[in-house]
Amino acid sequence: IVIDIAAGVEDTLAPAGCQMRMAEGVLYVRSDVSTTLSLLDLDGRVRDTTEMVAGEEYRIEELTSGSYLLRLGSQTYKVVIP
């Protein structure tokens, strides 16, 4: 599943129970369930990881344009940052 932040999450196949938005170079992620969030570059290097608490919003800063892998629990999604 590819999530194109520029198109708006409502227009993509976003993971159920997860909301994402991009503002001023920061990716915001919120999940309806507690889970592990990991952001990896396409070379497999971990850029960020955290334990998400249901309903809380997490910020991932200093992202350059490009594609990343966003792992929420056992599911992995490709995220495109404009």
Side-chain angles (χ1 to χ4, degrees):
I1 296 176
V2 176
I3 301 168
D4 185 348
I5 299 297
V9 174
E10 295 78 17
D11 298 331
T12 66
L13 297 173
C18 179
Q19 300 84 41
M20 288 179 238
R21 64 185 176 92
M22 190 82 185
E24 298 179 14
V26 177
L27 176 63
Y28 295 88
V29 181
R30 180 187 309 265
S31 177
D32 292 344
V33 297
S34 296
T35 190
T36 301
L37 175 138
S38 298
L39 185 76
L40 298 89
D41 62 24
L42 293 184
D43 291 326
R45 291 184 296 258
V46 177
R47 298 287 306 264
D48 199 355
T49 188
T50 190
E51 292 297 319
M52 295 184 68
V53 175
E56 290 189 13
E57 187 170 67
Y58 291 86
R59 297 168 47 110
I60 303 173
E61 301 181 30
E62 301 178 15
L63 293 175
T64 58
S65 296
S67 298
Y68 297 88
L69 299 175
L70 181 70
R71 187 175 299 147
L72 292 169
S74 63
Q75 299 294 315
T76 302
Y77 305 91
K78 182 177 178 184
V79 177
V80 179
I81 305 293

mmCIF file of all heavy atoms in Angstrom, residues 18 27-31 33-40 46-61 69-75:
data_model
loop_
_atom_site.group_PDB
_atom_site.id
_atom_site.type_symbol
_atom_site.label_atom_id
_atom_site.label_comp_id
_atom_site.label_asym_id
_atom_site.label_seq_id
_atom_site.Cartn_x
_atom_site.Cartn_y
_atom_site.Cartn_z
ATOM 1 N N CYS A 18 -5.708 4.675 11.398
ATOM 2 C CA CYS A 18 -4.484 5.479 11.422
ATOM 3 C C CYS A 18 -4.715 6.748 10.622
ATOM 4 O O CYS A 18 -5.279 6.704 9.535
ATOM 5 C CB CYS A 18 -3.319 4.689 10.844
ATOM 6 S SG CYS A 18 -1.773 5.601 10.801
ATOM 7 N N LEU A 27 5.941 14.960 9.699
ATOM 8 C CA LEU A 27 4.926 13.937 9.493
ATOM 9 C C LEU A 27 4.274 13.643 10.839
ATOM 10 O O LEU A 27 4.957 13.340 11.815
ATOM 11 C CB LEU A 27 5.554 12.661 8.932
ATOM 12 C CG LEU A 27 4.634 11.460 8.757
ATOM 13 C CD1 LEU A 27 3.516 11.763 7.745
ATOM 14 C CD2 LEU A 27 5.430 10.230 8.327
ATOM 15 N N TYR A 28 2.955 13.779 10.907
ATOM 16 C CA TYR A 28 2.190 13.499 12.124
ATOM 17 C C TYR A 28 1.443 12.187 11.918
ATOM 18 O O TYR A 28 0.790 12.001 10.896
ATOM 19 C CB TYR A 28 1.179 14.613 12.402
ATOM 20 C CG TYR A 28 1.829 15.935 12.720
ATOM 21 C CD1 TYR A 28 2.156 16.829 11.702
ATOM 22 C CD2 TYR A 28 2.114 16.288 14.032
ATOM 23 C CE1 TYR A 28 2.747 18.049 11.988
ATOM 24 C CE2 TYR A 28 2.704 17.511 14.335
ATOM 25 C CZ TYR A 28 3.014 18.384 13.305
ATOM 26 O OH TYR A 28 3.606 19.591 13.594
ATOM 27 N N VAL A 29 1.539 11.294 12.893
ATOM 28 C CA VAL A 29 0.888 9.987 12.813
ATOM 29 C C VAL A 29 0.099 9.763 14.091
ATOM 30 O O VAL A 29 0.597 9.980 15.198
ATOM 31 C CB VAL A 29 1.924 8.849 12.641
ATOM 32 C CG1 VAL A 29 1.220 7.504 12.528
ATOM 33 C CG2 VAL A 29 2.813 9.090 11.438
ATOM 34 N N ARG A 30 -1.150 9.326 13.936
ATOM 35 C CA ARG A 30 -2.012 8.991 15.074
ATOM 36 C C ARG A 30 -2.640 7.632 14.790
ATOM 37 O O ARG A 30 -3.048 7.356 13.669
ATOM 38 C CB ARG A 30 -3.109 10.033 15.246
ATOM 39 C CG ARG A 30 -4.051 9.754 16.411
ATOM 40 C CD ARG A 30 -5.222 10.732 16.443
ATOM 41 N NE ARG A 30 -4.812 12.110 16.374
ATOM 42 C CZ ARG A 30 -4.622 12.902 17.436
ATOM 43 N NH1 ARG A 30 -4.796 12.427 18.643
ATOM 44 N NH2 ARG A 30 -4.269 14.159 17.270
ATOM 45 N N SER A 31 -2.719 6.790 15.811
ATOM 46 C CA SER A 31 -3.307 5.460 15.652
ATOM 47 C C SER A 31 -4.393 5.261 16.704
ATOM 48 O O SER A 31 -4.281 5.769 17.823
ATOM 49 C CB SER A 31 -2.229 4.384 15.810
ATOM 50 O OG SER A 31 -2.804 3.103 15.734
ATOM 51 N N VAL A 33 -4.997 2.418 17.986
ATOM 52 C CA VAL A 33 -4.543 1.333 18.869
ATOM 53 C C VAL A 33 -3.089 1.569 19.256
ATOM 54 O O VAL A 33 -2.328 2.188 18.514
ATOM 55 C CB VAL A 33 -4.674 -0.055 18.187
ATOM 56 C CG1 VAL A 33 -6.125 -0.381 17.875
ATOM 57 C CG2 VAL A 33 -3.837 -0.120 16.923
ATOM 58 N N SER A 34 -2.696 1.088 20.410
ATOM 59 C CA SER A 34 -1.297 1.163 20.829
ATOM 60 C C SER A 34 -0.492 0.170 19.998
ATOM 61 O O SER A 34 -0.906 -0.972 19.816
ATOM 62 C CB SER A 34 -1.166 0.833 22.315
ATOM 63 O OG SER A 34 -1.843 1.800 23.094
ATOM 64 N N THR A 35 0.647 0.635 19.467
ATOM 65 C CA THR A 35 1.462 -0.206 18.600
ATOM 66 C C THR A 35 2.859 0.380 18.491
ATOM 67 O O THR A 35 3.107 1.497 18.936
ATOM 68 C CB THR A 35 0.826 -0.336 17.195
ATOM 69 O OG1 THR A 35 1.513 -1.331 16.461
ATOM 70 C CG2 THR A 35 0.818 0.971 16.446
ATOM 71 N N THR A 36 3.754 -0.366 17.893
ATOM 72 C CA THR A 36 5.097 0.139 17.618
ATOM 73 C C THR A 36 5.100 0.807 16.250
ATOM 74 O O THR A 36 4.592 0.249 15.284
ATOM 75 C CB THR A 36 6.133 -1.010 17.621
ATOM 76 O OG1 THR A 36 6.104 -1.640 18.897
ATOM 77 C CG2 THR A 36 7.525 -0.488 17.351
ATOM 78 N N LEU A 37 5.671 2.009 16.176
ATOM 79 C CA LEU A 37 5.804 2.740 14.927
ATOM 80 C C LEU A 37 7.292 2.811 14.601
ATOM 81 O O LEU A 37 8.097 3.194 15.447
ATOM 82 C CB LEU A 37 5.248 4.154 15.064
ATOM 83 C CG LEU A 37 5.453 5.057 13.850
ATOM 84 C CD1 LEU A 37 4.203 5.864 13.592
ATOM 85 C CD2 LEU A 37 6.630 5.969 14.035
ATOM 86 N N SER A 38 7.649 2.423 13.387
ATOM 87 C CA SER A 38 9.028 2.549 12.910
ATOM 88 C C SER A 38 9.009 3.176 11.532
ATOM 89 O O SER A 38 8.188 2.812 10.692
ATOM 90 C CB SER A 38 9.714 1.183 12.826
ATOM 91 O OG SER A 38 9.799 0.585 14.091
ATOM 92 N N LEU A 39 9.901 4.119 11.297
ATOM 93 C CA LEU A 39 10.064 4.735 9.985
ATOM 94 C C LEU A 39 11.444 4.361 9.481
ATOM 95 O O LEU A 39 12.447 4.598 10.152
ATOM 96 C CB LEU A 39 9.928 6.253 10.071
ATOM 97 C CG LEU A 39 9.973 6.959 8.720
ATOM 98 C CD1 LEU A 39 8.642 6.779 7.988
ATOM 99 C CD2 LEU A 39 10.290 8.422 8.879
ATOM 100 N N LEU A 40 11.485 3.748 8.297
ATOM 101 C CA LEU A 40 12.748 3.303 7.707
ATOM 102 C C LEU A 40 12.927 3.959 6.346
ATOM 103 O O LEU A 40 11.941 4.241 5.654
ATOM 104 C CB LEU A 40 12.733 1.786 7.509
ATOM 105 C CG LEU A 40 12.589 0.932 8.754
ATOM 106 C CD1 LEU A 40 11.135 0.676 9.064
ATOM 107 C CD2 LEU A 40 13.326 -0.361 8.575
ATOM 108 N N VAL A 46 16.731 2.465 10.087
ATOM 109 C CA VAL A 46 15.666 2.996 10.936
ATOM 110 C C VAL A 46 15.909 4.485 11.148
ATOM 111 O O VAL A 46 16.956 4.896 11.643
ATOM 112 C CB VAL A 46 15.617 2.259 12.287
ATOM 113 C CG1 VAL A 46 14.562 2.876 13.192
ATOM 114 C CG2 VAL A 46 15.350 0.776 12.077
ATOM 115 N N ARG A 47 14.931 5.299 10.748
ATOM 116 C CA ARG A 47 15.013 6.754 10.928
ATOM 117 C C ARG A 47 14.390 7.175 12.243
ATOM 118 O O ARG A 47 14.795 8.154 12.844
ATOM 119 C CB ARG A 47 14.295 7.458 9.781
ATOM 120 C CG ARG A 47 14.870 7.205 8.400
ATOM 121 C CD ARG A 47 16.183 7.927 8.180
ATOM 122 N NE ARG A 47 16.079 9.346 8.449
ATOM 123 C CZ ARG A 47 15.864 10.281 7.527
ATOM 124 N NH1 ARG A 47 15.735 9.947 6.274
ATOM 125 N NH2 ARG A 47 15.796 11.554 7.881
ATOM 126 N N ASP A 48 13.366 6.440 12.682
ATOM 127 C CA ASP A 48 12.676 6.758 13.933
ATOM 128 C C ASP A 48 11.894 5.537 14.368
ATOM 129 O O ASP A 48 11.419 4.768 13.534
ATOM 130 C CB ASP A 48 11.725 7.946 13.735
ATOM 131 C CG ASP A 48 11.323 8.622 15.039
ATOM 132 O OD1 ASP A 48 11.707 8.121 16.115
ATOM 133 O OD2 ASP A 48 10.647 9.656 14.973
ATOM 134 N N THR A 49 11.774 5.346 15.670
ATOM 135 C CA THR A 49 10.930 4.273 16.204
ATOM 136 C C THR A 49 10.403 4.700 17.561
ATOM 137 O O THR A 49 11.089 5.408 18.304
ATOM 138 C CB THR A 49 11.700 2.929 16.275
ATOM 139 O OG1 THR A 49 10.786 1.893 16.616
ATOM 140 C CG2 THR A 49 12.810 2.974 17.283
ATOM 141 N N THR A 50 9.172 4.319 17.851
ATOM 142 C CA THR A 50 8.555 4.681 19.119
ATOM 143 C C THR A 50 7.404 3.732 19.421
ATOM 144 O O THR A 50 6.873 3.083 18.527
ATOM 145 C CB THR A 50 8.047 6.143 19.094
ATOM 146 O OG1 THR A 50 7.665 6.526 20.410
ATOM 147 C CG2 THR A 50 6.866 6.306 18.155
ATOM 148 N N GLU A 51 7.048 3.656 20.670
ATOM 149 C CA GLU A 51 5.848 2.926 21.081
ATOM 150 C C GLU A 51 4.702 3.914 21.108
ATOM 151 O O GLU A 51 4.706 4.859 21.897
ATOM 152 C CB GLU A 51 6.038 2.277 22.451
ATOM 153 C CG GLU A 51 7.043 1.148 22.472
ATOM 154 C CD GLU A 51 6.636 -0.021 21.593
ATOM 155 O OE1 GLU A 51 5.455 -0.397 21.577
ATOM 156 O OE2 GLU A 51 7.524 -0.565 20.912
ATOM 157 N N MET A 52 3.742 3.731 20.212
ATOM 158 C CA MET A 52 2.600 4.634 20.141
ATOM 159 C C MET A 52 1.549 4.243 21.164
ATOM 160 O O MET A 52 1.301 3.066 21.406
ATOM 161 C CB MET A 52 1.967 4.588 18.748
ATOM 162 C CG MET A 52 2.868 5.105 17.657
ATOM 163 S SD MET A 52 2.033 5.130 16.049
ATOM 164 C CE MET A 52 0.815 6.421 16.332
ATOM 165 N N VAL A 53 0.928 5.246 21.757
ATOM 166 C CA VAL A 53 -0.197 5.061 22.659
ATOM 167 C C VAL A 53 -1.453 5.429 21.883
ATOM 168 O O VAL A 53 -1.482 6.455 21.185
ATOM 169 C CB VAL A 53 -0.045 5.946 23.917
ATOM 170 C CG1 VAL A 53 -1.270 5.842 24.805
ATOM 171 C CG2 VAL A 53 1.227 5.572 24.675
ATOM 172 N N ALA A 54 -2.481 4.605 21.978
ATOM 173 C CA ALA A 54 -3.723 4.837 21.236
ATOM 174 C C ALA A 54 -4.224 6.259 21.441
ATOM 175 O O ALA A 54 -4.295 6.745 22.571
ATOM 176 C CB ALA A 54 -4.787 3.840 21.673
ATOM 177 N N GLY A 55 -4.522 6.925 20.328
ATOM 178 C CA GLY A 55 -5.101 8.267 20.364
ATOM 179 C C GLY A 55 -4.099 9.402 20.436
ATOM 180 O O GLY A 55 -4.472 10.554 20.248
ATOM 181 N N GLU A 56 -2.834 9.123 20.703
ATOM 182 C CA GLU A 56 -1.828 10.185 20.775
ATOM 183 C C GLU A 56 -1.198 10.404 19.399
ATOM 184 O O GLU A 56 -1.051 9.470 18.627
ATOM 185 C CB GLU A 56 -0.738 9.844 21.792
ATOM 186 C CG GLU A 56 -1.232 9.902 23.216
ATOM 187 C CD GLU A 56 -0.101 9.772 24.220
ATOM 188 O OE1 GLU A 56 1.083 9.873 23.855
ATOM 189 O OE2 GLU A 56 -0.424 9.555 25.401
ATOM 190 N N GLU A 57 -0.836 11.642 19.131
ATOM 191 C CA GLU A 57 -0.226 11.988 17.855
ATOM 192 C C GLU A 57 1.292 12.061 18.023
ATOM 193 O O GLU A 57 1.788 12.641 18.980
ATOM 194 C CB GLU A 57 -0.755 13.333 17.363
ATOM 195 C CG GLU A 57 -0.307 13.688 15.969
ATOM 196 C CD GLU A 57 -1.040 14.889 15.435
ATOM 197 O OE1 GLU A 57 -0.838 15.997 15.976
ATOM 198 O OE2 GLU A 57 -1.812 14.722 14.482
ATOM 199 N N TYR A 58 2.013 11.480 17.076
ATOM 200 C CA TYR A 58 3.474 11.471 17.111
ATOM 201 C C TYR A 58 4.018 12.266 15.943
ATOM 202 O O TYR A 58 3.470 12.236 14.850
ATOM 203 C CB TYR A 58 3.999 10.037 17.083
ATOM 204 C CG TYR A 58 3.688 9.327 18.374
ATOM 205 C CD1 TYR A 58 2.475 8.697 18.556
ATOM 206 C CD2 TYR A 58 4.593 9.349 19.421
ATOM 207 C CE1 TYR A 58 2.158 8.090 19.755
ATOM 208 C CE2 TYR A 58 4.293 8.734 20.626
ATOM 209 C CZ TYR A 58 3.069 8.109 20.791
ATOM 210 O OH TYR A 58 2.753 7.524 21.973
ATOM 211 N N ARG A 59 5.117 12.971 16.201
ATOM 212 C CA ARG A 59 5.774 13.818 15.202
ATOM 213 C C ARG A 59 7.053 13.142 14.740
ATOM 214 O O ARG A 59 7.844 12.707 15.567
ATOM 215 C CB ARG A 59 6.153 15.158 15.806
ATOM 216 C CG ARG A 59 5.031 15.998 16.278
ATOM 217 C CD ARG A 59 5.539 17.171 17.122
ATOM 218 N NE ARG A 59 6.647 17.870 16.524
ATOM 219 C CZ ARG A 59 6.592 19.101 16.028
ATOM 220 N NH1 ARG A 59 5.460 19.766 16.072
ATOM 221 N NH2 ARG A 59 7.652 19.665 15.485
ATOM 222 N N ILE A 60 7.246 13.116 13.428
ATOM 223 C CA ILE A 60 8.508 12.658 12.857
ATOM 224 C C ILE A 60 9.051 13.835 12.058
ATOM 225 O O ILE A 60 8.461 14.245 11.069
ATOM 226 C CB ILE A 60 8.320 11.415 11.975
ATOM 227 C CG1 ILE A 60 7.665 10.290 12.792
ATOM 228 C CG2 ILE A 60 9.652 10.971 11.403
ATOM 229 C CD1 ILE A 60 7.278 9.080 11.982
ATOM 230 N N GLU A 61 10.172 14.388 12.524
ATOM 231 C CA GLU A 61 10.708 15.627 11.960
ATOM 232 C C GLU A 61 11.914 15.373 11.074
ATOM 233 O O GLU A 61 12.466 14.284 11.042
ATOM 234 C CB GLU A 61 11.080 16.575 13.100
ATOM 235 C CG GLU A 61 9.890 16.919 13.980
ATOM 236 C CD GLU A 61 10.237 17.881 15.096
ATOM 237 O OE1 GLU A 61 11.148 18.696 14.913
ATOM 238 O OE2 GLU A 61 9.575 17.812 16.144
ATOM 239 N N LEU A 69 9.491 3.673 4.443
ATOM 240 C CA LEU A 69 8.655 2.567 4.876
ATOM 241 C C LEU A 69 8.181 2.875 6.284
ATOM 242 O O LEU A 69 8.992 3.162 7.169
ATOM 243 C CB LEU A 69 9.438 1.252 4.847
ATOM 244 C CG LEU A 69 9.961 0.847 3.477
ATOM 245 C CD1 LEU A 69 10.818 -0.413 3.594
ATOM 246 C CD2 LEU A 69 8.826 0.628 2.501
ATOM 247 N N LEU A 70 6.886 2.843 6.488
ATOM 248 C CA LEU A 70 6.289 3.093 7.791
ATOM 249 C C LEU A 70 5.736 1.774 8.305
ATOM 250 O O LEU A 70 4.853 1.180 7.685
ATOM 251 C CB LEU A 70 5.163 4.126 7.677
ATOM 252 C CG LEU A 70 4.464 4.484 8.973
ATOM 253 C CD1 LEU A 70 5.401 5.285 9.868
ATOM 254 C CD2 LEU A 70 3.202 5.269 8.700
ATOM 255 N N ARG A 71 6.282 1.306 9.403
ATOM 256 C CA ARG A 71 5.837 0.043 9.984
ATOM 257 C C ARG A 71 4.996 0.357 11.216
ATOM 258 O O ARG A 71 5.450 1.005 12.147
ATOM 259 C CB ARG A 71 7.037 -0.813 10.365
ATOM 260 C CG ARG A 71 6.660 -2.206 10.811
ATOM 261 C CD ARG A 71 7.879 -3.064 11.072
ATOM 262 N NE ARG A 71 8.672 -3.195 9.855
ATOM 263 C CZ ARG A 71 10.003 -3.293 9.854
ATOM 264 N NH1 ARG A 71 10.682 -3.284 10.960
ATOM 265 N NH2 ARG A 71 10.650 -3.409 8.707
ATOM 266 N N LEU A 72 3.746 -0.100 11.181
ATOM 267 C CA LEU A 72 2.829 0.022 12.314
ATOM 268 C C LEU A 72 2.497 -1.388 12.765
ATOM 269 O O LEU A 72 1.774 -2.105 12.079
ATOM 270 C CB LEU A 72 1.546 0.757 11.918
ATOM 271 C CG LEU A 72 1.707 2.237 11.588
ATOM 272 C CD1 LEU A 72 0.439 2.771 10.960
ATOM 273 C CD2 LEU A 72 2.047 3.006 12.843
ATOM 274 N N GLY A 73 3.058 -1.783 13.906
ATOM 275 C CA GLY A 73 2.875 -3.156 14.363
ATOM 276 C C GLY A 73 3.485 -4.110 13.350
ATOM 277 O O GLY A 73 4.662 -4.002 13.011
ATOM 278 N N SER A 74 2.688 -5.027 12.835
ATOM 279 C CA SER A 74 3.200 -6.019 11.877
ATOM 280 C C SER A 74 2.959 -5.634 10.417
ATOM 281 O O SER A 74 3.336 -6.357 9.519
ATOM 282 C CB SER A 74 2.546 -7.384 12.160
ATOM 283 O OG SER A 74 1.150 -7.290 11.962
ATOM 284 N N GLN A 75 2.351 -4.462 10.170
ATOM 285 C CA GLN A 75 2.055 -4.014 8.811
ATOM 286 C C GLN A 75 3.060 -2.956 8.374
ATOM 287 O O GLN A 75 3.452 -2.092 9.163
ATOM 288 C CB GLN A 75 0.642 -3.430 8.731
ATOM 289 C CG GLN A 75 -0.443 -4.411 9.084
ATOM 290 C CD GLN A 75 -0.539 -5.531 8.069
ATOM 291 O OE1 GLN A 75 -0.513 -5.314 6.873
ATOM 292 N NE2 GLN A 75 -0.623 -6.751 8.560
#
